[in-house]
Amino acid sequence: MRGEDLMKYFFGGFVRVHILHHAAEEPVCGVYMMEELARHGYQLSPGTLYPILHQLTQSGYLRCQQRVVEGRRRKYYRITPSGRKLLCQAREKLQELAGEVLHPKTASTAGRRAARAAR
Ligand SMILES: [Zn+2]
């Protein structure tokens, strides 16, 4: 896998966690999510974002509701209880990963012990 493809693979996961996070705070529409992700440095086209929103909805992690805002019909997405559960699990994994990857010197003692044993 090329580096570029691998990055897309990583970002695909980050983007999904990000969507779940915002949909847990308030109902979000695609346009909002696209701007929010762009603010964080992810340039997603509607052709990439909408299938992800659809997929998360189909899997039962988001619930979609149509609303009319300023005369336009828009789909709003809100997290479901199983989406919340998934987000909780993702947060734990993210914290664990960030703890090790971003602060290698303060990595868990269990990790250090494993590293010593592997030598
Ligand atoms: Zn955000």
Side-chain angles (χ1 to χ4, degrees):
M1 207 184 255
R2 291 180 307 151
E4 198 184 308
D5 294 332
L6 205 50
M7 283 311 264
K8 264 188 205 157
Y9 192 71
F10 293 158
F11 290 173
F14 299 164
V15 162
R16 282 164 177 83
V17 172
H18 209 124
I19 292 171
L20 289 175
H21 169 75
H22 282 283
E25 291 186 326
E26 59 184 340
V28 293
C29 65
V31 177
Y32 170 83
M33 250 352 280
M34 213 142 60
E35 287 171 1
E36 174 60 19
L37 288 164
R39 200 170 67 81
H40 289 285
Y42 300 93
Q43 305 293 336
L44 261 77
S45 68
T48 304
L49 180 67
Y50 283 97
I52 294 174
L53 289 170
H54 184 72
Q55 181 195 61
L56 289 171
T57 305
Q58 286 294 304
S59 311
Y61 301 122
L62 292 179
R63 194 177 309 128
C64 179
Q65 205 176 33
Q66 298 252 12
R67 276 196 206 172
V68 179
V69 179
E70 289 159 14
R72 294 192 60 185
R73 206 136 42 99
R74 281 214 169 126
K75 284 181 174 175
Y76 278 80
Y77 300 86
R78 182 172 222 147
I79 203 162
T80 63
S82 51
R84 234 172 248 284
K85 210 171 144 188
L86 192 71
L87 181 60
C88 269
Q89 291 172 337
R91 279 198 179 118
E92 277 174 29
K93 294 286 184 198
L94 197 61
Q95 195 157 34
E96 173 65 27
L97 181 68
E100 173 142 39
V101 173
L102 304 180
H103 313 283
K105 286 197 177 120
T106 56
S108 72
T109 47
R112 262 183 274 136
R113 226 178 292 128
R116 254 201 312 272
R119 267 187 231 134

